[in-house]
Amino acid sequence: MPWTDLLSADRIVVLDEPGSPARVLAAAAELLAGGPGAAATGIAEALDQRERLGSTAIGHGVAIPHARSDAFPAARGAFLRLGQALDFGARDGAPVDLVFAMSATSDRPEEHLQHLAEIATRFADPAFRERLRAARGLTGLRRLLL
């Protein structure tokens, strides 16, 4: 499954006032879960727990928070462009403004790693990152990602 298959238009947003990394993870969890509720709470806890193990910021203003959850039968992703870059503790020191969050099932660890590798490779492209940052509005952003 290509990384683009993890996304749907309703899970791509611009978060104008992200507040804090914790708030970004909570917003990502709600997107992944399809709204607030028990699934979102469980995903938020899993994302937070993973982030405490080590930053998921990969540099150049990109973070890929990810966790395993059995709330859904397949992996899913959410993309958030932040209106204000935040410190996610990236090794390069760059604050994060592009976030691709992922929730994968517990029974497919190899698929989880394949998705992470594919996402990291795509976001390693400086031109792609710049197009995401320059995209006008949500429609432009969704067009680039889908």
Side-chain angles (χ1 to χ4, degrees):
M1 171 191 307
W3 71 274
T4 53
D5 288 352
L6 297 172
L7 291 171
S8 64
D10 62 331
R11 291 196 304 266
I12 299 171
V13 300
V14 175
L15 196 57
D16 288 324
E17 296 182 24
S20 68
R23 186 173 179 278
V24 172
L25 294 179
E30 284 192 13
L31 287 170
L32 290 167
T41 300
I43 293 170
E45 289 172 1
L47 290 172
D48 184 59
Q49 184 177 27
R50 169 57 188 87
E51 201 68 30
R52 279 186 268 134
L53 292 175
S55 176
T56 57
I58 62 170
H60 305 287
V62 177
I64 309 173
H66 56 280
R68 293 196 177 120
S69 169
D70 292 321
F72 306 99
R76 53 175 55 192
F79 180 81
L80 303 89
R81 184 174 73 185
L82 308 183
Q84 174 187 352
L86 300 174
D87 182 5
F88 267 73
R91 287 183 189 224
D92 68 354
V96 167
D97 64 340
L98 303 175
V99 178
F100 191 110
M102 185 178 72
S103 173
T105 59
S106 299
D107 63 340
R108 297 185 194 138
E110 65 288 336
E111 181 181 89
H112 182 137
L113 294 175
Q114 288 170 349
H115 285 312
L116 286 175
E118 191 173 352
I119 293 163
T121 298
R122 187 66 178 125
F123 282 87
D125 177 357
F128 180 66
R129 293 191 309 265
E130 191 51 42
R131 286 193 305 273
L132 289 171
R133 291 182 174 115
R136 292 186 183 255
L138 202 47
T139 301
L141 193 58
R142 288 175 175 166
R143 191 175 300 125
L144 280 170
L145 288 164
L146 297 173

